[in-house]
């Protein structure tokens, strides 16, 4: 197991010199790291499209028995009704003064799956099927399309009532609206169809990059919505969507807080330890996730000239929370924790509180500085305990 002491140091510039001060970090080193990861791993993302268009297609100010306002917004990525588009589902708490802070996160199985509310629009995008999904019952899926019977199947991971009661809006969108997670589709759907020239490059933006980019497009909409405070938006994601949330938070400083939940390999875990899912598996089982360039690091996990704490350093000094589960072995909880410890020095270098611990806390003990971390019992999943820690951390850092 590699030691964090031999980890590459994010404060050493490409020139080999140490970053002298915060100004040099923001002007030079931060850009170097951003360029490195855009080239080698996540791919080059396009600019905000000039014809990006939003349309509120449904609204109810008395949703959920009057508790919340529900808004459904279509984001037309190329401005046309026929082009690729994502649907934002928003719930905004009614009992608090506006504008409110919000949590934005992509979902795995469609907006209609996060809550049984019968007015949520059922996604028309492709849907995975399969009988043995440990999280949701996908028997409702017919020929890779969701049906009425799919409403609320994923509600256990999205405790909407708790989030609203704590005074936060929830904004979500379905991953397949944006970019397919089915490698067989070969970038033939969603936003990738708008950027064919980017796909033929070695630094192509893959599916993780596209999801992150779409989170920024959701933020573009949020900035126009009077009910949400755009300076208090936390970006959240679990697992592969946590990898995307981390990159979104790293690449778009409008996200005021970043939550990486069990994002593991290609997310918060350090590759250098050589534990858990490795780069070869990421690049071969999920060849659509990262740029072609990332393939050259297969079998070099422990020798990487950079590591995932650099991505987290791009979030600094904004609040960042990493959540792990003890049985989530593929994500290597100790590796997720090691990156939290490793990035602490960048936070402190920038003059903010970093992570106020050096050793892994016991189960169910959330540590919260400017960086937060917890490890809970159980496996790869999202549960109420996780959300309670994220909401506490948001209260501490966004209020
Ligand atoms: C797989 C994959 C992980 C990913 C996870 C998920 O297990 O290997 O990298 O995080 O799926 O998204 O649930």
């Amino acid at each position: 197991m590699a030691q964090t002491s031999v980890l590459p140091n994010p404060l050493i510039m490409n020139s080999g010199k140490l970053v002298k001060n915060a100004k040099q970090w923001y002007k030079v080193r931060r850009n170097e790291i951003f360029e490195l990861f855009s080239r080698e791993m996540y791919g080059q993302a396009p600019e905000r499209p000039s014809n990006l268009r939003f349309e509120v297609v449904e609204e109810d100010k008395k949703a959920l028995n009057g508790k919340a306002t529900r808004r459904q917004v279509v984001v037309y990525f190329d401005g046309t009704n026929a082009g690729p588009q994502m649907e934002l589902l928003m719930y905004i708490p009614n009992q608090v003064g506006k504008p409110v802070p919000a949590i934005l996160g992509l979902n795995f199985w469609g907006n209609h799956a996060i809550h049984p509310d019968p007015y949520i629009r059922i996604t028309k995008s492709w849907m995975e099927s399969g009988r043995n999904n440990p999280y949701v019952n996908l028997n409702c899926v017919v020929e890779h399309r969701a049906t009425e019977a799919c409403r609320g199947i994923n509600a256990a991971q999205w405790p909407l009532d708790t989030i609203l009661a704590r005074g936060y809006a929830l904004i979500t969108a379905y991953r397949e609206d944006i970019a397919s997670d089915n490698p067989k589709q070969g970038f033939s759907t969603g936003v990738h169809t708008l950027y064919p020239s980017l796909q033929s490059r070695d630094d192509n933006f893959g599916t993780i990059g596209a999801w992150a980019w779409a989170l920024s497009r959701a933020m573009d909409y949020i900035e126009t919505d009077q009910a949400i405070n755009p300076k208090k938006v936390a970006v959240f994601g679990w697992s592969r969507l946590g990898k995307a949330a981390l990159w979104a938070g790293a690449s778009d400083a409008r996200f005021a807080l970043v939550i990486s939940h069990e994002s593991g390999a290609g997310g918060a875990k350090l590759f250098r330890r050589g534990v858990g899912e490795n780069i070869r598996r990421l690049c071969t089982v999920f060849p659509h996730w990262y740029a072609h360039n990332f393939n050259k690091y297969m079998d070099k996990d422990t020798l990487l000239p950079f590591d995932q704490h650099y991505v987290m350093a791009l979030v600094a000094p904004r609040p960042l929370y990493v959540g792990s589960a003890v049985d989530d072995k593929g994500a290597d909880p100790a590796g997720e924790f090691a990156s939290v410890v490793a990035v602490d020095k960048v936070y402190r270098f920038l003059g903010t509180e970093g992570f106020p611990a050096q050793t892994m806390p016991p189960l169910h003990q959330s540590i919260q500085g400017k960086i937060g971390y917890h490890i809970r019992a159980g496996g790869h999943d999202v549960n109420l305990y996780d959300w309670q820690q994220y909401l506490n951390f948001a209260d501490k850092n966004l209020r």
Side-chain angles (χ1 to χ4, degrees):
M1 185 199 299
Q3 301 300 310
T4 45
S5 57
V6 299
L7 273 176
N9 181 354
L11 294 172
I12 297 180
M13 299 188 288
N14 290 352
S15 67
K17 293 201 174 116
L18 264 177
V19 181
K20 273 201 242 101
N21 48 38
K23 190 168 160 214
Q24 200 171 38
W25 169 264
Y26 292 116
K27 284 232 146 59
V28 181
R29 184 55 183 154
R30 198 181 177 281
N31 297 337
E32 289 179 351
I33 295 178
F34 179 71
E35 279 161 24
L36 171 75
F37 280 89
S38 301
R39 190 179 64 238
E40 303 298 310
M41 191 169 172
Y42 299 96
Q44 303 286 347
E47 296 288 297
R48 170 190 166 134
S50 56
N51 36 14
L52 190 73
R53 189 165 62 86
F54 316 114
E55 185 186 358
V56 177
V57 290
E58 194 270 344
E59 184 180 64
D60 181 359
K61 296 202 159 116
K62 295 204 166 67
L64 309 178
N65 298 323
K67 249 185 290 179
T69 296
R70 181 188 58 243
R71 251 203 286 293
Q72 300 187 71
V73 181
V74 181
V75 177
Y76 300 99
F77 290 118
D78 70 351
T80 71
N81 283 9
Q85 49 197 264
M86 91 178 148
E87 297 215 0
L88 298 177
L89 168 66
M90 312 174 66
Y91 285 99
I92 304 150
N94 279 340
Q95 269 75 16
V96 291
K98 309 267 178 328
V100 294
I103 296 173
L104 166 69
L106 300 179
N107 64 67
F108 270 76
W109 296 288
N111 295 349
H112 60 269
I114 73 132
H115 194 278
D117 181 348
Y119 297 98
I120 302 175
R121 287 153 61 99
I122 292 184
T123 182
K124 298 191 189 74
S125 295
W126 187 88
M127 181 72 50
E128 68 178 317
S129 55
R131 304 221 165 260
N132 298 316
N133 191 301
Y135 309 105
V136 284
N137 182 342
L138 293 173
N139 290 343
C140 60
V141 176
V142 177
E143 289 175 8
H144 291 292
R145 301 293 148 185
T147 63
E148 281 290 328
C150 297
R151 291 190 180 284
I153 57 171
N154 186 214
Q157 291 187 334
W158 296 93
L160 180 59
D161 287 347
T162 303
I163 295 168
L164 292 169
R166 296 281 297 257
Y168 292 85
L170 178 68
I171 306 169
T172 188
Y174 176 42
R175 60 180 162 145
E176 287 285 332
D177 281 9
I178 301 152
S180 181
D181 204 4
N182 176 2
K184 292 195 196 110
Q185 303 266 14
F187 300 129
S188 64
T189 67
V191 299
H192 286 117
T193 60
L194 296 178
Y195 304 102
S197 64
L198 287 181
Q199 290 317 307
S200 54
R201 298 161 46 151
D202 289 336
D203 60 355
N204 62 309
F205 85 133
T207 297
I208 301 280
W211 288 335
W213 179 86
L215 286 163
S216 288
R217 304 293 70 83
M219 190 66 189
D220 295 338
Y221 167 74
I222 291 167
E223 287 182 323
T224 71
D225 191 311
Q226 307 290 314
I228 310 292
N229 184 340
K231 299 229 171 341
K232 296 191 174 182
V233 177
V235 64
F236 160 86
W238 170 50
S239 207
R240 66 196 68 189
L241 302 178
K243 306 180 206 297
L246 182 59
W247 180 238
S251 51
D252 189 339
R254 292 176 297 173
F255 293 114
L257 188 152
V258 180
I259 304 163
S260 146
H261 181 63
E262 300 169 358
S263 62
K269 134 186 150 88
L270 290 182
F271 288 116
R272 183 162 281 254
R273 282 168 41 82
V275 179
E277 187 172 24
N278 60 17
I279 297 176
R280 173 167 291 280
R281 189 182 135 92
L282 283 178
C283 292
T284 52
V285 181
F286 308 102
H288 54 301
W289 278 0
Y290 297 100
H292 302 315
N293 268 337
F294 198 47
N295 290 335
K296 66 184 181 224
Y297 300 102
M298 282 196 271
D299 308 321
K300 303 209 170 87
D301 301 62
T302 59
L303 304 168
L304 281 185
F306 50 81
D307 212 332
Q308 294 303 106
H309 60 310
Y310 281 35
V311 180
M312 292 155 73
L314 295 174
V315 178
R318 288 168 290 144
L320 167 69
Y321 198 115
V322 173
S324 303
V326 71
D327 297 330
D328 187 15
K329 302 284 184 228
D332 182 23
E336 293 180 315
F337 180 73
S339 60
V340 161
V341 173
V343 76
D344 167 76
K345 74 167 162 206
V346 178
Y347 277 74
R348 293 193 194 271
F349 180 81
L350 296 175
T352 60
E353 182 195 15
F355 183 64
Q358 288 292 312
T359 49
M360 178 86 121
L363 300 187
H364 302 125
Q365 189 177 301
S366 170
I367 297 182
Q368 303 194 3
K370 206 57 179 276
I371 308 173
Y373 180 83
H374 74 254
I375 178 163
R376 63 154 168 78
H380 194 61
D381 203 344
V382 196
N383 68 21
L384 188 59
Y385 175 82
D386 299 315
W387 278 104
Q388 281 161 343
Q389 312 322 306
Y390 300 144
L391 292 165
N392 292 346
F393 187 66
D395 281 356
K396 176 173 149 71
N397 287 286
L398 289 184
R399 296 283 188 185

